[in-house]
mmCIF file of all heavy atoms in Angstrom:
data_model
loop_
_atom_site.group_PDB
_atom_site.id
_atom_site.type_symbol
_atom_site.label_atom_id
_atom_site.label_comp_id
_atom_site.label_asym_id
_atom_site.label_seq_id
_atom_site.Cartn_x
_atom_site.Cartn_y
_atom_site.Cartn_z
ATOM 1 N N PRO N 203 5.166 2.685 -1.640
ATOM 2 C CA PRO N 203 5.513 1.601 -0.700
ATOM 3 C C PRO N 203 6.476 2.014 0.426
ATOM 4 O O PRO N 203 6.379 1.469 1.517
ATOM 5 C CB PRO N 203 6.162 0.529 -1.577
ATOM 6 C CG PRO N 203 6.183 1.035 -2.968
ATOM 7 C CD PRO N 203 5.558 2.390 -3.025
ATOM 8 N N GLN N 204 7.405 2.933 0.152
ATOM 9 C CA GLN N 204 8.346 3.330 1.228
ATOM 10 C C GLN N 204 8.752 2.105 2.044
ATOM 11 O O GLN N 204 8.530 2.041 3.265
ATOM 12 C CB GLN N 204 7.697 4.377 2.124
ATOM 13 C CG GLN N 204 7.253 5.598 1.358
ATOM 14 C CD GLN N 204 7.770 6.897 1.945
ATOM 15 O OE1 GLN N 204 8.359 6.944 3.016
ATOM 16 N NE2 GLN N 204 7.592 7.968 1.230
ATOM 17 N N TRP N 205 9.388 1.148 1.363
ATOM 18 C CA TRP N 205 9.695 -0.155 1.985
ATOM 19 C C TRP N 205 10.519 -0.026 3.252
ATOM 20 O O TRP N 205 10.517 -0.918 4.103
ATOM 21 C CB TRP N 205 10.444 -1.049 0.988
ATOM 22 C CG TRP N 205 9.661 -1.415 -0.226
ATOM 23 C CD1 TRP N 205 9.782 -0.879 -1.477
ATOM 24 C CD2 TRP N 205 8.626 -2.415 -0.336
ATOM 25 N NE1 TRP N 205 8.889 -1.472 -2.343
ATOM 26 C CE2 TRP N 205 8.177 -2.412 -1.677
ATOM 27 C CE3 TRP N 205 8.044 -3.299 0.578
ATOM 28 C CZ2 TRP N 205 7.169 -3.273 -2.133
ATOM 29 C CZ3 TRP N 205 7.047 -4.154 0.117
ATOM 30 C CH2 TRP N 205 6.618 -4.133 -1.220
ATOM 31 N N HIS N 206 11.253 1.086 3.378
ATOM 32 C CA HIS N 206 12.090 1.190 4.580
ATOM 33 C C HIS N 206 11.246 1.263 5.858
ATOM 34 O O HIS N 206 11.717 0.912 6.929
ATOM 35 C CB HIS N 206 13.037 2.387 4.491
ATOM 36 C CG HIS N 206 12.333 3.699 4.375
ATOM 37 N ND1 HIS N 206 11.763 4.127 3.187
ATOM 38 C CD2 HIS N 206 12.070 4.651 5.276
ATOM 39 C CE1 HIS N 206 11.206 5.303 3.394
ATOM 40 N NE2 HIS N 206 11.373 5.644 4.644
ATOM 41 N N ILE N 207 9.970 1.702 5.734
ATOM 42 C CA ILE N 207 9.168 1.841 6.965
ATOM 43 C C ILE N 207 8.774 0.466 7.539
ATOM 44 O O ILE N 207 9.046 0.205 8.713
ATOM 45 C CB ILE N 207 7.967 2.785 6.737
ATOM 46 C CG1 ILE N 207 8.538 4.187 6.484
ATOM 47 C CG2 ILE N 207 7.018 2.765 7.941
ATOM 48 C CD1 ILE N 207 7.528 5.279 6.362
ATOM 49 N N PRO N 208 8.174 -0.449 6.737
ATOM 50 C CA PRO N 208 7.949 -1.782 7.327
ATOM 51 C C PRO N 208 9.263 -2.454 7.726
ATOM 52 O O PRO N 208 9.297 -3.252 8.673
ATOM 53 C CB PRO N 208 7.236 -2.561 6.213
ATOM 54 C CG PRO N 208 7.459 -1.786 4.963
ATOM 55 C CD PRO N 208 7.600 -0.348 5.382
ATOM 56 N N PHE N 209 10.326 -2.109 7.016
ATOM 57 C CA PHE N 209 11.619 -2.699 7.350
ATOM 58 C C PHE N 209 12.075 -2.212 8.737
ATOM 59 O O PHE N 209 12.592 -2.984 9.545
ATOM 60 C CB PHE N 209 12.630 -2.307 6.269
ATOM 61 C CG PHE N 209 13.892 -3.103 6.315
ATOM 62 C CD1 PHE N 209 13.930 -4.406 5.843
ATOM 63 C CD2 PHE N 209 15.059 -2.550 6.833
ATOM 64 C CE1 PHE N 209 15.103 -5.146 5.887
ATOM 65 C CE2 PHE N 209 16.228 -3.280 6.879
ATOM 66 C CZ PHE N 209 16.250 -4.580 6.407
ATOM 67 N N GLU N 210 11.837 -0.926 9.000
ATOM 68 C CA GLU N 210 12.155 -0.390 10.334
ATOM 69 C C GLU N 210 11.281 -1.059 11.394
ATOM 70 O O GLU N 210 11.723 -1.327 12.504
ATOM 71 C CB GLU N 210 11.923 1.135 10.392
ATOM 72 C CG GLU N 210 12.999 1.959 9.708
ATOM 73 C CD GLU N 210 14.383 1.695 10.276
ATOM 74 O OE1 GLU N 210 14.506 1.579 11.508
ATOM 75 O OE2 GLU N 210 15.332 1.570 9.484
ATOM 76 N N LEU N 211 10.024 -1.311 11.016
ATOM 77 C CA LEU N 211 9.126 -1.989 11.973
ATOM 78 C C LEU N 211 9.680 -3.380 12.293
ATOM 79 O O LEU N 211 9.667 -3.828 13.440
ATOM 80 C CB LEU N 211 7.701 -2.085 11.390
ATOM 81 C CG LEU N 211 6.691 -2.841 12.246
ATOM 82 C CD1 LEU N 211 6.461 -2.132 13.589
ATOM 83 C CD2 LEU N 211 5.356 -3.010 11.512
ATOM 84 N N ARG N 212 10.175 -4.049 11.263
ATOM 85 C CA ARG N 212 10.766 -5.384 11.461
ATOM 86 C C ARG N 212 11.958 -5.313 12.419
ATOM 87 O O ARG N 212 12.135 -6.156 13.290
ATOM 88 C CB ARG N 212 11.196 -5.952 10.097
ATOM 89 C CG ARG N 212 12.149 -7.077 10.125
ATOM 90 C CD ARG N 212 11.543 -8.372 10.624
ATOM 91 N NE ARG N 212 10.652 -8.980 9.660
ATOM 92 C CZ ARG N 212 9.445 -9.458 9.957
ATOM 93 N NH1 ARG N 212 8.987 -9.402 11.180
ATOM 94 N NH2 ARG N 212 8.690 -10.009 9.029
ATOM 95 N N ARG N 213 12.764 -4.296 12.253
ATOM 96 C CA ARG N 213 13.910 -4.130 13.149
ATOM 97 C C ARG N 213 13.441 -3.919 14.584
ATOM 98 O O ARG N 213 14.036 -4.428 15.528
ATOM 99 C CB ARG N 213 14.679 -2.858 12.751
ATOM 100 C CG ARG N 213 15.861 -3.100 11.885
ATOM 101 C CD ARG N 213 16.780 -1.904 12.087
ATOM 102 N NE ARG N 213 16.981 -1.220 10.830
ATOM 103 C CZ ARG N 213 17.975 -1.506 10.009
ATOM 104 N NH1 ARG N 213 18.840 -2.450 10.307
ATOM 105 N NH2 ARG N 213 18.106 -0.853 8.892
ATOM 106 N N TYR N 214 12.365 -3.143 14.724
ATOM 107 C CA TYR N 214 11.856 -2.806 16.053
ATOM 108 C C TYR N 214 11.180 -4.021 16.696
ATOM 109 O O TYR N 214 11.337 -4.270 17.896
ATOM 110 C CB TYR N 214 10.875 -1.631 15.917
ATOM 111 C CG TYR N 214 10.012 -1.404 17.130
ATOM 112 C CD1 TYR N 214 10.496 -0.701 18.236
ATOM 113 C CD2 TYR N 214 8.711 -1.911 17.180
ATOM 114 C CE1 TYR N 214 9.702 -0.506 19.354
ATOM 115 C CE2 TYR N 214 7.912 -1.717 18.297
ATOM 116 C CZ TYR N 214 8.414 -1.020 19.382
ATOM 117 O OH TYR N 214 7.625 -0.841 20.486
ATOM 118 N N ALA N 215 10.407 -4.746 15.892
ATOM 119 C CA ALA N 215 9.643 -5.890 16.428
ATOM 120 C C ALA N 215 10.014 -7.123 15.617
ATOM 121 O O ALA N 215 9.292 -7.526 14.708
ATOM 122 C CB ALA N 215 8.147 -5.616 16.326
ATOM 123 N N PRO N 216 11.161 -7.717 15.930
ATOM 124 C CA PRO N 216 11.731 -8.738 15.049
ATOM 125 C C PRO N 216 10.841 -9.963 14.841
ATOM 126 O O PRO N 216 10.939 -10.615 13.803
ATOM 127 C CB PRO N 216 13.041 -9.141 15.732
ATOM 128 C CG PRO N 216 13.218 -8.241 16.901
ATOM 129 C CD PRO N 216 11.983 -7.436 17.110
ATOM 130 N N ASN N 217 9.978 -10.279 15.807
ATOM 131 C CA ASN N 217 9.186 -11.507 15.673
ATOM 132 C C ASN N 217 7.762 -11.285 15.208
ATOM 133 O O ASN N 217 7.040 -12.238 14.933
ATOM 134 C CB ASN N 217 9.153 -12.249 17.019
ATOM 135 C CG ASN N 217 10.552 -12.602 17.450
ATOM 136 O OD1 ASN N 217 11.345 -13.082 16.640
ATOM 137 N ND2 ASN N 217 10.887 -12.307 18.700
ATOM 138 N N MET N 218 7.352 -10.030 15.156
ATOM 139 C CA MET N 218 5.969 -9.748 14.799
ATOM 140 C C MET N 218 5.678 -10.185 13.363
ATOM 141 O O MET N 218 6.525 -10.047 12.479
ATOM 142 C CB MET N 218 5.703 -8.243 14.938
ATOM 143 C CG MET N 218 4.275 -7.872 14.589
ATOM 144 S SD MET N 218 4.061 -6.098 14.519
ATOM 145 C CE MET N 218 4.032 -5.722 16.248
#
Side-chain angles (χ1 to χ4, degrees):
Q204 303 232 352
W205 296 103
H206 61 283
I207 294 185
F209 194 76
E210 284 303 319
L211 176 63
R212 163 71 73 226
R213 263 203 240 269
Y214 165 81
N217 300 315
M218 180 189 284

